[in-house]
Amino acid sequence: MKKVLVFGGIVILLFGLLAVVNSMKQSQLAEGNPFGKERIAPATAELMNDPNYQNVILPDELEEILEDNGDVTVYFYSSTCPYCKEATPRLVPISEELGVDLVQYNLTEFEDGYSDYRIESTPTLIHYEDGEEVNRIVGSAPDDEYRAFFEEHVNN
């Protein structure tokens, strides 16, 4: 009976230690993140050094632009979305080539964005003028469709 208690105590101690190490690792991943959060999803942490995911916009910033009747083009993505990971390396260079300030809203970190901006799936690209939605592309699109979107709605 004593052995069972000792082994049980060791197992409980190991699980506790694993929880502490995992928590410390999550804190390290979140250090210096642009999302202003203490903890971020592991999939988001993987994208932090990717040059295609550097123009982050926070929910409060986007809300302020729209309330001030501003113009903005927003790329709503999820860091866990395979379609986003395929589309982003094509979309970002096109926006840069055309001089479009494409801000990026991470729905993995800010899930309220799904309902706040009527996002049904990712990726979703939306252009707002005077604080109102003008057009959107839902899903991964061909390069020429992204280019036409920017040329029509952003660079006119």
Side-chain angles (χ1 to χ4, degrees):
M1 185 68 174
K2 225 179 203 183
K3 287 183 181 180
V4 171
L5 290 176
V6 169
F7 285 122
I10 290 172
V11 168
I12 291 171
L13 185 65
L14 287 174
F15 278 115
L17 187 60
L18 282 173
V20 168
V21 168
N22 189 35
S23 178
M24 288 173 54
K25 183 178 178 184
Q26 283 293 327
S27 294
Q28 283 180 327
L29 288 175
E31 239 173 67
N33 75 70
F35 303 103
K37 297 174 74 176
E38 288 185 26
R39 303 186 106 199
I40 59 172
T44 298
E46 289 176 15
L47 299 176
M48 292 221 350
N49 293 323
D50 186 326
N52 290 315
Y53 291 93
Q54 299 303 309
N55 201 14
V56 172
I57 191 164
L58 300 178
D60 291 346
E61 295 170 331
L62 179 56
E63 186 177 319
E64 185 177 326
I65 290 169
L66 297 177
E67 284 177 358
D68 291 344
N69 297 319
D71 297 351
V72 65
T73 305
V74 186
Y75 176 54
F76 292 92
Y77 73 98
S78 169
S79 50
T80 60
C81 168
Y83 301 105
C84 299
K85 290 179 181 177
E86 181 275 324
T88 304
R90 296 183 296 104
L91 177 62
V92 170
I94 294 169
S95 70
E96 290 172 352
E97 174 190 326
L98 296 174
V100 175
D101 182 20
L102 179 65
V103 296
Q104 301 167 327
Y105 190 109
N106 187 330
L107 291 162
T108 301
E109 298 303 324
F110 303 106
E111 292 182 356
D112 287 348
Y114 281 106
S115 59
D116 292 348
Y117 302 102
R118 300 180 337 270
I119 306 298
E120 295 176 10
S121 63
T122 55
T124 296
L125 179 65
I126 303 179
H127 180 66
Y128 297 89
E129 289 180 10
D130 300 322
E132 299 295 324
E133 181 178 331
V134 175
N135 199 4
R136 73 171 55 199
I137 295 176
V138 178
S140 182
D143 292 0
D144 58 340
E145 190 174 334
Y146 288 137
R147 187 175 300 280
F149 179 91
F150 291 138
E151 289 172 347
E152 179 180 347
H153 298 290
V154 182
N155 289 338
N156 50 12

